[in-house]
Amino acid sequence: MISRRTLALAAALALAGTLAFPSAAAPLLDGPSDDVSGGVELLPAADSEYATIGPDGKLALDLTPGETGLNPDSVTVFGDVFYLRYTGDRYAEVWVTADSDEVTFEVAGQPVDSRAEGVRLGTDEAVPVSVRVNTTEGDLDVDDITVHSRVAEPETADAMTVDDKVGPNVRTVAASEGSRQFTVLHASAGEPVALDTSGMSVVETNVTLEELSVTRATDGALSVGVRRVGASSAGPLPASGADALGAVEVTTKSSEREIRRATFRFSVAEDYLDAVDTDAGDLTLYRHSDGEWSEVDATVVGERAGRLFVAAEADGFSTFVLAAERPAIGVQSASVDPATAAADEPVTVTGEVENAGGAAGERTVALTLDGRVVAEQAVALDAGESTTVTFTTTPSPGEYDVAVGGTDAGSLVVEAGSGDGTTAASGSGDESDAAATDGADETPVAEPAGIDLQAVAGVSVMLALVVATLALVRRLPRE
Amino acid sequence: MDSESGRRPPFRAALRRAVRLRDVALLLLVPGVLVGVFALPLDVRRSLAFRYTDPTLATAYTAHFVHLESSHLLANVLAFLLLAGVGYLLATLAGRRQLFGTATATYLLAVPFALSGLNLAVPRNAVGYGFSGVNLAFAGLLPLLLVAYARRRLDARVRLRHAPGLFFAALAVVAVVALPWSPVSVGVAGVAAVAAVAYAVPLVRSDAPRASTGASTAGWLDLLVVGLVLYLATPFVAFPASPGVEGGVLNLYAHLLGFCLAFVAPYVALELGLFEATPARAVDAAD
C-alpha cells in the first residue's frame, strides 16, 4: 500500500541570508500533528522555528522565518525540523521526497528519499527529520514534499530499521558546559539507556556529571534534558547543617510513570572535598520532587586520577542536590541532681547529647556554673547517635545557674557549711558509665597558665602599629 | 628620692650604650629553657606538671616551665619576649638595671614556688602547668619601670608613688573583663578605679617644673607609649571572660597572683630604698 500526501512548502527557499540552526532538541511526542494516512503522522519539533501545523491541520515548513533567507551558493542542513511517527500496530517503511532535487530529507544523517533508503518504524516509534537545501545550482523552486509509507511485515521488511540506521539510538543535542539534551529514538522497557553527560559541570570542574542512565517502564521514545541549577534553587536541605554543593535538574516530556529508574554517576575532585572539608562518605544526593525532599543513596564506586566517582540511583526525575553532610552536635536536655546539696556533697550534672547532622563529628561540651566553665569533655558521635555526658562537681556554697553545653540544667543551691568548694569534674561519653562517679578517681582538670596565642599576636601587631603611627606623626610638617 | 636631671640624649645612641649583649643573652635563655623542656617526651612533661592532689616541691617549680601544646608554648614565649623585652629596655634606660635583674631572678627562681603554693589554698583535683604566671609577674613590674623611665627621661614630675595608679587601673580592667557581672565585681572594679584616679591626681595637679630638657622626645616617648599600651593590653588578653580551653580551664588565679606579687614586692623594696638608681650620666656614658 502506498499513500501519497502533498504538503505545503512555504516561502521562497532561495532568498539570500542566514538561517539559525535549531538550538535544542525537540521534546517530541506532544502537541498537534499532521495525520498522514497509513498510520504515519508528522509533528513539528516543539522548539523548531521552521515547522508549524497550520490552521488547516497541515504541516507547513518555512525555512526562512523573519525574512532572513538562505545562504546563496551553499548547502544548508536544518536539523530535526519535524518528526515522523508511526501510529499503526505493525511496521512501516517511510521515505520523504520533494519536487526538487536540491531539497532532500535525512534521518540521523542518512538520506531517506527513496523506498530503498526509507526508515523503518515500529508501533509508536518516531524519528526526527532534517532538511538539506542546496542553493549552489541557483534559485530553488519547491512547492511540495511527499511522505511515502508502506506497511512492512517484520520478516519481509528490507528497509533499514532505526537501530540499523543510527546505531546507538541516542542523540545528544545542544551540549553546553552546564546542560545536555538527549533524544532516545527507541528505548526498550527495563533496559537502561546510558546518556553520556561526561564533563557536564555541576560545580565548576570540581564536580561533573559523567553519566545518566535511564530505564523506561515501557517501550518508546524519550527526551531528556539535564542542566545545572543553583545549589540552593530548591530551598534549604532537610538535614541539619548539610551544605548544598551543586544541583542538576532533570526533565522529560514523558510521563513520570514511564521512568522506572535513573542512575547518576558524578565525578568529584578529591582536592575539592578537602577544600570543602568533607569526606567522600559524607556526600549525599537529595531529590526534591513535588515540594518534598528525599535522600538518594550515593556510594563511591571508583577512584582515578585524583577524582572519586559517586553513583546514586533514583526512581524518577526532578531536581537533585549533591550535598556534604555535617555533624550537628548539641545538648538536647540537661539536669542537675540533687538540686539542693549540702556543703561538700558531690553534685551530678548530666546532659543528653545528640548528633542531629548527617556526618560523624566531635564537640567539646562544657559544664558551666553561672556562665563560668568549670569542666569540659570531648564527645564523638556518629550521625544520628546520642549519648549521655556526666559531670561530678562540688561547688562552694551558693546558688548557681547550671548549664551543659549552653543548655539549661536548672538551678543548684549549695548550702553553707565547712567546705570551701572544689570542682573536680569529668564526664563520660559512654552511656554505660553514665552514673555519677567519685570525683577523686577521675582525671584531674588541666589548668594551664596560658595566654591565647592569637591575642598575644594581636598585641604584637598593635604595638607595631603604635610605633609606625608615632613615626608617621613625627614626619608630618609642624606648621 | 633619686634626683633626675640633665640633657636628654638622642634615643638611639642612648639605647646602643645601655643595652648589653650579656643581658640579652641571659634573657633569651628563658625561651631556650622553655623550648628545651617542650622537647622532652610528653610523659616526662606530664610528670613535671603540678598535681594539686599530689604536690611535690620539685613539681611546684618545674610545672611553670612545662607546656603540653606548641600553641601554648608559642604564646608564652611571645608574651615573655614582649613583657620582659620592653621591661628590660625601660629599666636599662631608666638606670634601673639592678632592680630589673633582681626582679627577674626572683620571678624565675622564687615566684614559681609561690604561685604553686598559693594555688594549694583552693584544693581541687586539677593539674597546673605553663609559664604565663611568671609572664604576668613581668607585667606586674611594668608600672614601676614605666614611672621610673618617665621620670628619668621625659618628665621629672612623675614619681614612684604614682606607680600604684597604673597597678590599680589594670586591676579595674581585670575586674570588668574577667569577673561575672555582680555587685561584688562592680564594687571591686569601682574601688580599683577610684584608687587609680587617686594616685594619678597629684601628678596632674603638680606644678613642679619638668626637669628633663634637651633634644627631641623622638624614641623616648615612643618607648613609653609602647610600654603603656603593652601594659594596659595585658589584662585584656591574660584574663579572658571565658577561660575554658580545649581539655581544661585557664588558671587565671595564677595570673592574678603573679601580677600582684610582682608589683607589691618590688614597690615595697623601692619605697624602703633598697635599690638605688644609676645616675643618668653613668647610664648614658659609653661602657
Side-chain angles (χ1 to χ4, degrees):
Chain A
M1 181 187 73
I2 295 179
S3 70
R4 184 182 172 89
R5 182 79 179 174
T6 301
L7 302 169
L9 185 63
L13 292 170
L15 294 176
T18 303
L19 277 179
F21 200 81
S23 61
L28 43 158
L29 301 176
D30 295 321
S33 64
D34 178 5
D35 287 324
V36 182
S37 61
V40 176
E41 62 181 12
L42 306 175
L43 306 90
D47 57 353
S48 170
E49 55 185 324
Y50 309 115
T52 52
I53 297 292
D56 57 354
K58 307 304 178 196
L59 183 83
L61 300 183
D62 178 359
L63 299 180
T64 59
E67 304 301 325
T68 48
L70 288 169
N71 286 325
D73 207 22
S74 64
V75 176
T76 308
V77 178
F78 300 87
D80 298 356
V81 176
F82 62 93
Y83 282 80
L84 290 171
R85 181 163 72 169
Y86 177 59
T87 57
D89 52 6
R90 303 168 75 179
Y91 288 86
E93 287 167 18
V94 186
W95 63 101
V96 188
T97 57
D99 59 352
S100 165
D101 291 341
E102 310 312 322
V103 177
T104 55
F105 299 87
E106 298 175 352
V107 171
Q110 301 295 319
V112 287
D113 50 6
S114 69
R115 178 179 169 183
E117 295 179 312
V119 64
R120 181 165 177 266
L121 300 176
T123 300
D124 208 27
E125 197 166 17
V127 291
V129 180
S130 302
V131 182
R132 176 185 292 268
V133 181
N134 183 356
T135 56
T136 58
E137 301 298 322
D139 289 353
L140 293 181
D141 183 13
V142 182
D143 292 323
D144 299 326
I145 61 173
T146 307
V147 176
H148 312 263
S149 70
R150 194 188 69 159
V151 172
E153 296 302 326
E155 63 273 21
T156 60
D158 55 359
M160 198 179 297
T161 64
V162 170
D163 284 343
D164 291 338
K165 182 180 282 288
V166 301
N169 58 355
V170 178
R171 296 166 55 79
T172 308
V173 188
S176 72
E177 182 200 350
S179 72
R180 297 285 191 281
Q181 191 81 32
F182 300 94
T183 299
V184 183
L185 302 181
H186 180 78
S188 300
E191 289 185 12
V193 178
L195 306 178
D196 182 9
T197 57
S198 56
M200 191 190 115
S201 165
V202 179
V203 182
E204 296 173 348
T205 58
N206 296 313
V207 181
T208 55
L209 180 61
E210 294 299 318
E211 186 180 278
L212 171 61
S213 176
V214 183
T215 305
R216 267 191 69 115
T218 57
D219 288 352
L222 187 62
S223 172
V224 177
V226 189
R227 71 183 182 101
R228 175 184 61 203
V229 294
S232 57
S233 60
L237 293 171
S240 296
D243 285 340
L245 303 178
V248 292
E249 181 187 70
V250 187
T251 53
T252 179
K253 286 289 184 182
S254 306
S255 162
E256 273 289 316
R257 284 177 310 210
E258 293 176 13
I259 307 301
R260 179 184 293 176
R261 194 163 56 245
T263 306
F264 297 83
R265 197 162 68 94
F266 292 96
S267 160
V268 185
E270 290 181 81
D271 290 348
Y272 175 68
L273 290 181
D274 292 340
V276 297
D277 193 24
T278 194
D279 294 328
D282 292 332
L283 289 177
T284 300
L285 192 66
Y286 284 96
R287 180 183 179 197
H288 188 254
S289 179
D290 298 330
E292 293 190 356
W293 287 102
S294 58
E295 193 174 325
V296 182
D297 285 338
T299 50
V300 176
V301 294
E303 180 181 356
R304 176 161 46 86
R307 294 185 80 90
L308 295 175
F309 294 90
V310 180
E313 186 174 294
D315 56 4
F317 291 159
S318 55
T319 300
F320 296 86
V321 180
L322 188 67
E325 299 286 3
R326 306 286 188 206
I329 298 175
V331 179
Q332 303 303 306
S333 62
S335 61
V336 55
D337 180 50
T340 301
D344 295 333
E345 180 185 2
V347 175
T348 302
V349 183
T350 56
E352 299 296 325
V353 189
E354 181 187 355
N355 181 0
E362 287 186 14
R363 183 185 155 182
T364 299
V365 178
L367 167 66
T368 56
L369 301 182
D370 285 342
R372 307 284 294 184
V373 176
V374 295
E376 291 181 314
Q377 65 174 293
V379 178
L381 291 174
D382 288 336
E385 192 185 9
S386 59
T387 189
T388 304
V389 293
T390 306
F391 298 90
T392 305
T393 182
T394 312
S396 312
E399 185 172 349
Y400 302 94
D401 289 328
V402 185
V404 178
T407 300
D408 184 25
S411 294
L412 168 65
V413 176
V414 180
E415 295 169 341
S418 58
D420 54 1
T422 61
T423 301
S426 183
S428 162
D430 187 337
E431 286 180 273
S432 63
D433 297 334
T437 51
D438 185 357
D441 293 337
E442 296 181 356
T443 309
V445 174
E447 287 189 358
I451 303 174
D452 181 57
L453 179 57
Q454 287 182 327
V456 181
V459 170
S460 306
V461 171
M462 186 165 66
L463 293 176
L465 287 174
V466 166
V467 172
T469 305
L470 286 170
L472 280 175
V473 167
R474 202 163 277 124
R475 283 168 181 264
L476 290 176
R478 294 282 174 188
E479 300 297 329
Chain B
M1 286 300 298
D2 44 326
S3 65
E4 316 295 341
S5 64
R7 284 183 70 253
R8 184 187 303 125
F11 180 75
R12 286 190 184 182
L15 194 65
R16 271 197 298 274
R17 282 191 291 271
V19 174
R20 295 179 186 171
L21 196 60
R22 188 189 63 187
D23 298 343
V24 175
L26 285 173
L27 279 178
L28 289 179
L29 264 183
V30 174
V33 168
L34 295 180
V35 171
V37 172
F38 186 73
L40 295 172
L42 185 61
D43 286 345
V44 175
R45 279 181 278 153
R46 286 189 196 281
S47 71
L48 295 177
F50 188 62
R51 286 183 72 114
Y52 301 140
T53 53
D54 182 23
T56 68
L57 198 60
T59 57
Y61 182 79
T62 57
H64 296 272
F65 297 85
V66 165
H67 298 87
L68 301 184
E69 294 175 358
S70 56
S71 59
H72 186 200
L73 169 73
L74 193 59
N76 273 338
V77 166
L78 193 56
F80 174 80
L81 293 176
L82 286 174
L83 291 165
V86 171
Y88 172 72
L89 292 181
L90 290 169
T92 191
L93 289 170
R96 292 291 185 178
R97 191 192 306 273
Q98 184 194 5
L99 167 67
F100 184 81
T102 307
T104 300
T106 308
Y107 297 163
L108 293 176
L109 298 176
V111 161
F113 289 111
L115 294 181
S116 295
L118 288 168
N119 259 299
L120 290 177
V122 185
R124 57 200 186 278
N125 183 15
V127 56
Y129 55 92
F131 193 69
S132 67
V134 180
N135 271 338
L136 264 290
F138 281 93
L141 185 63
L142 279 181
L144 299 168
L145 298 177
L146 283 166
V147 297
Y149 174 82
R151 174 175 175 77
R152 169 67 64 89
R153 297 299 184 179
L154 292 162
D155 193 332
R157 291 172 296 177
V158 179
R159 316 285 296 200
L160 174 65
R161 63 170 178 269
H162 297 128
L166 283 172
F167 173 71
F168 283 115
L171 281 191
V173 172
V174 170
V176 169
V177 300
L179 295 180
W181 203 244
S182 71
V184 174
S185 67
V186 172
V188 170
V191 168
V194 168
V197 171
Y199 275 100
V201 165
L203 173 62
V204 177
R205 295 177 61 180
S206 168
D207 51 4
R210 294 177 54 172
S212 294
T213 58
S216 132
T217 59
W220 298 104
L221 184 62
D222 299 23
L223 180 58
L224 181 72
V225 172
V226 164
L228 278 171
V229 170
L230 175 64
Y231 173 71
L232 292 175
T234 300
F236 286 98
V237 301
F239 295 91
S242 301
V245 293
E246 188 173 341
V249 185
L250 281 183
N251 192 344
L252 302 190
Y253 178 50
H255 289 184
L256 188 65
L257 285 175
F259 180 70
C260 294
L261 286 175
F263 173 77
V264 173
Y267 178 68
V268 170
L270 282 171
E271 285 289 20
L272 293 176
L274 298 184
F275 293 96
E276 288 296 328
T278 309
R281 273 173 300 201
V283 173
D284 297 333
D287 288 328

